[in-house]
């Protein structure tokens, strides 16, 4: 690229300086560089109709984490002689205007797998290509280009993690040095008539006072306010989750200092109730926003593995990391931590359509990533990626749904005293431990002494787990049997017939009604 050209670097994810190939290329041979972030109203502006504070697509915690990451990025850019240019509007429209206004010759941004951004990318790339602007969009958010994996598998995505590992192999860049620092960046040119701002605050985005925001959404359930704060739905000033590349690299360094822990990390053996000192790296929000390069993280882990005698392997190592019920009442009870099962209410696990659970997580999780969120829900809802044999109607089928976690015994296994529940559900803090995981079984005298009357201060269970899990297993078995019968070619009409068959089962319907009546009484 000849000297005197002008580049635009579009930040979305990849909010970092280290190992940022798009930024590196944008800066090469460039007289002026415009680092841009666009405030997308669809993602950032308040949605008054949402079930929790936030926008149409994201909860307030994730928006705040993003803003903190942008502030950190802006500070890093300023140290290199540049700054972050924040604009507002529909991203493709804003970017096309900037490409015209600033006479851009080189347009750079990190490749994104999210369908929403891929659609935006296509629109802007089409304009750039038609007007002779060079486009550079490298893969650096993920270790591999997803399309390459699918192509290797004959045009189909791999359906198990092991088949993915076999197809993927080692990343092509794994042994190549990554550019981790920059000495300087080209200065920003004249922004002309484009309206530029600093990184906005939560208040400037229209959310007002945080406390008032939460009172507006949860005034009906005000007795749960303290619980929401502690559960992470609302961050306080001491929250350990602060956004930005600086925080990401600091956490990475702290993690890598304990080489034995890194080498022996095994996800299923981690304690899910550990909250004061988490059993994981807590790096996922930084990877999600690209504050930490996944490629750099990968190389750091490889360095550790190469210098220890033995280590764990994917999918458990650090390196690895159907016709549903449609019951809105259960969904809301789960989403709002009112299932009546303390372990569930403390960590939010669900019994309804995986897509609805996914949507709640998409909104509330700080580290929500489109591909990972969908993949995890497909896995844990027994819809894909995990298989084992089972016997149904005297025939063997391959399934993935016989592992059902109890909302009572699973929590007790890791946290017999219930410290996790007491911390995140203070309403139950004085409940004796023998009743903590099943508070509805406590005698009224015990509930009174604990200042928590079940059905008044804390809800009764929305379902009886034994009955609900058996019903789920029955429905899954029938769905899998249908899939086997039709050789995997299942149409919407087939699913409607199956649902009708399930709903017309008079014996099960009567049992369900008795179960629900028992919970009400």
């Amino acid at each position: 690229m000849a000297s005197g050209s002008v580049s635009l670097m579009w930040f979305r994810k990849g909010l970092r300086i280290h190992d940022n190939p798009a930024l590196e290329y944008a800066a090469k041979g460039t007289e002026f560089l415009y680092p841009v972030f666009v405030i997308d109203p669809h993602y950032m502006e308040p949605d008054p109709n949402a079930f929790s504070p936030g926008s149409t697509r994201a909860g307030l915690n994730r928006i705040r984490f993003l803003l903190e990451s942008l502030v950190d990025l802006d500070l890093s850019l300023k140290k290199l002689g540049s700054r972050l240019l924040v604009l507002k509007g529909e991203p493709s429209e804003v970017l096309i205007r900037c490409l015209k206004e600033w006479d851009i010759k080189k347009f750079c941004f990190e490749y994104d797998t999210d369908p929403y951004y891929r659609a935006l990318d296509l629109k802007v790339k089409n304009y750039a290509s038609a007007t002779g602007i060079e486009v550079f969009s490298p893969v650096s958010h993920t270790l591999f280009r997803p399309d390459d994996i699918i192509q290797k598998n004959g045009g189909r995505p791999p359906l198990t993690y092991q088949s993915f590992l076999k197809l993927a192999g080692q990343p092509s860049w794994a042994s190549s040095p990554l550019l981790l620092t920059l000495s300087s960046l080209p200065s920003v040119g004249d922004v002309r008539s484009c309206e530029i701002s600093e990184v906005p605050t939560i208040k400037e985005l229209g959310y007002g006072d945080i406390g008032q925001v939460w009172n507006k959404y949860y005034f009906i359930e005000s007795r749960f306010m303290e619980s929401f704060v502690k559960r992470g739905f609302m961050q306080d000033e001491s929250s350990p989750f602060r956004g930005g590349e600086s925080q990401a690299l600091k956490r990475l360094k702290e993690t890598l200092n304990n080489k034995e822990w890194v080498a022996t990390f095994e996800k299923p053996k981690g304690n899910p109730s550990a909250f004061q000192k988490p059993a994981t790296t807590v790096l996922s929000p930084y990877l999600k926003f690209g504050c930490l390069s996944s490629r750099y993280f990968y190389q750091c882990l490889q360095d550790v593995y190469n210098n220890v005698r033995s280590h764990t392997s994917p999918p458990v190592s650090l390196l690895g990391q159907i016709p549903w019920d449609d019951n809105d009442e259960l969904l809301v009870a789960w989403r709002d931590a009112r299932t009546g099962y303390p372990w569930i209410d403390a960590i939010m696990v669900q019994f309804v359509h995986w897509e609805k659970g996914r949507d709640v997580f998409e909104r509330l999780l700080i580290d929500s990533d489109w591909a990972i969120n969908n993949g995890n829900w497909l896995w844990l809802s027994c819809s894909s990626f995990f298989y084992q044999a089972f016997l149904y109607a005297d025939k063997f089928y391959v399934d993935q749904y016989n592992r059902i976690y109890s909302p009572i015994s699973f929590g007790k296994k890791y946290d017999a005293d219930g410290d996790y529940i007491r911390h995140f559900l203070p309403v139950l803090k004085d409940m004796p431990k023998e009743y903590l995981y099943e508070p509805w079984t406590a005698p009224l005298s015990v509930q009174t002494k604990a200042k928590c009357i079940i059905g008044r201060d804390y809800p009764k269970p929305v379902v009886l787990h034994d009955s609900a899990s058996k019903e789920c297993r029955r429905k899954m078995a029938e769905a899998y049997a249908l899939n086997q019968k039709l050789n995997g070619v299942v149409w919407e009409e087939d699913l409607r017939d199956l649902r009708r068959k399930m709903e017309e089962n008079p014996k099960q319907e009567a049992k369900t009604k008795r179960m629900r009546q028992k919970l009400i009484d």
Side-chain angles (χ1 to χ4, degrees):
M1 179 62 62
S3 179
S5 65
V6 180
S7 299
L8 189 153
M9 171 64 195
W10 179 23
F11 285 98
R12 302 96 63 87
K13 298 172 185 174
L15 304 180
R16 64 181 184 273
I17 303 299
H18 76 279
D19 184 34
N20 194 328
L23 176 62
E24 179 186 356
Y25 189 77
K28 277 184 179 178
T30 297
E31 183 177 4
F32 297 113
L33 171 63
Y34 294 84
V36 166
F37 183 87
V38 182
I39 300 289
D40 185 350
H42 187 55
Y43 188 95
M44 306 279 275
E45 286 191 350
D47 179 1
N49 298 317
F51 68 81
S52 70
S55 68
T56 302
R57 292 174 58 89
L60 193 56
N61 279 350
R62 188 152 88 248
I63 291 173
R64 175 150 61 179
F65 189 96
L66 170 58
L67 294 179
E68 292 167 350
S69 301
L70 292 174
V71 169
D72 186 72
L73 176 63
D74 184 42
L75 290 173
S76 297
L77 290 171
K78 286 176 178 175
K79 291 177 182 177
L80 297 172
S82 183
R83 66 186 178 104
L84 187 63
L85 306 175
V86 179
L87 298 97
K88 183 178 179 181
E90 197 282 324
S92 61
E93 294 177 0
V94 171
L95 286 164
I96 290 173
R97 187 171 70 248
C98 291
L99 293 174
K100 292 178 182 177
E101 186 81 10
W102 299 336
D103 195 23
I104 299 298
K105 301 301 181 185
K106 189 165 53 169
F107 179 40
C108 304
F109 56 93
E110 184 178 65
Y111 179 87
D112 200 319
T113 58
D114 189 316
Y116 176 73
Y117 286 104
R118 292 191 73 171
L120 288 177
D121 294 354
L122 183 61
K123 185 176 178 181
V124 183
K125 284 169 69 175
N126 285 344
Y127 169 82
S129 298
T131 54
I133 298 173
E134 180 186 3
V135 177
F136 182 68
S137 182
V139 175
S140 54
H141 184 68
T142 55
L143 302 183
F144 304 93
R145 180 184 290 274
D147 293 344
D148 292 345
I149 303 297
I150 293 172
Q151 184 179 6
K152 285 182 180 180
N153 199 41
R156 304 181 309 275
L159 295 181
T160 66
Y161 191 70
Q162 292 304 323
S163 63
F164 164 76
L165 289 178
K166 186 177 179 180
L167 286 165
Q170 286 287 324
S172 58
W173 47 263
S175 59
S176 303
L178 303 176
L179 184 65
L180 301 179
T181 59
L182 295 174
S183 58
S184 64
L185 287 171
S187 61
V188 176
D190 185 358
V191 297
R192 300 176 188 173
S193 63
C194 292
E195 189 173 339
I196 306 297
S197 69
E198 297 290 328
V199 177
T201 63
I202 284 287
K203 189 173 182 179
E204 289 169 344
L205 282 177
Y207 290 96
D209 178 78
I210 297 298
Q212 292 177 359
V213 169
W214 284 93
N215 282 327
K216 172 186 174 183
Y217 278 84
Y218 292 111
F219 68 94
I220 296 177
E221 299 287 344
S222 58
R223 64 183 183 277
F224 293 131
M225 178 60 71
E226 182 182 0
S227 167
F228 279 123
V229 175
K230 290 183 176 295
R231 284 169 56 229
F233 279 2
M234 174 182 172
Q235 288 183 325
D236 61 19
E237 290 307 308
S238 62
S239 169
F241 301 103
R242 297 296 168 188
E245 179 183 18
S246 301
Q247 283 290 316
L249 294 175
K250 178 183 176 183
R251 284 183 175 275
L252 176 63
K253 182 179 179 180
E254 292 170 353
T255 296
L256 296 175
N257 281 340
N258 191 343
K259 290 181 172 54
E260 182 180 356
W261 181 87
V262 171
T264 58
F265 178 90
E266 193 169 352
K267 183 64 180 286
K269 295 182 180 179
N271 183 354
S273 66
F275 59 92
Q276 292 179 334
K277 186 178 180 181
T280 62
T281 64
V282 198
L283 288 172
S284 56
Y286 303 96
L287 290 166
K288 180 266 185 300
F289 283 107
C291 302
L292 174 63
S293 160
S294 62
R295 308 194 314 171
Y296 180 50
F297 187 28
Y298 178 95
Q299 289 194 346
C300 289
L301 292 178
Q302 292 291 2
D303 287 343
V304 172
Y305 294 160
N306 291 335
N307 289 283
V308 294
R309 289 185 177 182
S310 63
H311 58 81
T312 52
S313 300
V316 298
S317 65
L318 274 178
L319 197 57
Q321 277 299 299
I322 300 180
W324 302 91
D325 283 341
D326 191 12
N327 189 316
D328 288 338
E329 291 182 4
L330 292 183
L331 175 68
V332 171
W334 165 72
R335 184 194 72 196
D336 294 345
R338 293 185 287 103
T339 68
Y341 287 93
W343 179 253
I344 299 298
D345 290 342
I347 61 174
M348 297 178 65
V349 182
Q350 57 98 37
F351 294 103
V352 293
H353 197 306
W354 74 266
E355 290 181 355
K356 293 194 174 183
R358 172 205 63 187
D359 292 344
V360 173
F361 273 38
E362 171 68 24
R363 179 178 185 76
L364 294 181
L365 294 183
I366 295 175
D367 62 353
S368 178
D369 175 272
W370 184 87
I372 294 174
N373 192 30
N374 277 272
N376 280 343
W377 278 99
L378 280 165
W379 182 315
L380 294 175
S381 67
C382 312
S383 300
S384 193
F385 306 131
F386 186 85
Y387 299 90
Q388 62 187 54
F390 82 104
L391 181 67
Y392 177 72
D394 298 324
K395 292 183 179 180
F396 275 101
Y397 297 94
V398 175
D399 93 332
Q400 61 229 90
Y401 62 81
N402 279 330
R403 293 187 180 184
I404 296 178
Y405 295 104
S406 166
I408 300 166
S409 61
F410 185 77
K412 285 182 178 179
K413 175 183 177 182
Y414 292 97
D415 186 16
D417 293 329
D419 293 337
Y420 182 87
I421 291 173
R422 297 181 200 281
H423 179 83
F424 288 100
L425 297 176
V427 68
L428 291 168
K429 63 183 176 64
D430 296 322
M431 186 66 68
K433 71 176 184 179
E434 57 265 34
Y435 299 112
L436 188 58
Y437 285 86
E438 303 173 88
W440 62 91
T441 65
L444 183 59
S445 60
V446 174
Q447 296 179 31
T448 302
K449 186 176 181 181
K451 305 181 186 65
C452 181
I453 304 300
I454 304 304
R456 185 191 72 188
D457 303 309
Y458 183 74
K460 293 180 180 180
V462 292
V463 295
L464 293 177
H465 179 258
D466 287 345
S467 300
S469 61
K470 288 176 182 177
E471 174 65 358
C472 286
R473 189 185 288 113
R474 180 186 72 83
K475 290 183 177 181
M476 291 292 287
E478 293 194 19
Y480 271 76
L482 176 66
N483 185 65
Q484 181 84 359
K485 177 182 176 182
L486 299 177
N487 198 27
V489 184
V490 182
W491 300 94
E492 187 65 33
E493 183 178 348
D494 299 317
L495 294 178
R496 283 198 297 268
D497 290 343
L498 180 58
R499 181 186 293 277
R500 192 180 305 114
K501 176 185 174 183
M502 292 176 177
E503 291 174 348
E504 290 174 354
N505 185 331
K507 183 179 178 180
Q508 186 58 41
E509 182 64 24
K511 186 177 181 181
T512 301
K513 287 182 177 179
R514 288 196 303 272
M515 180 182 73
R516 289 176 178 169
Q517 187 61 44
K518 183 177 180 180
L519 291 173
I520 294 172
D521 294 341

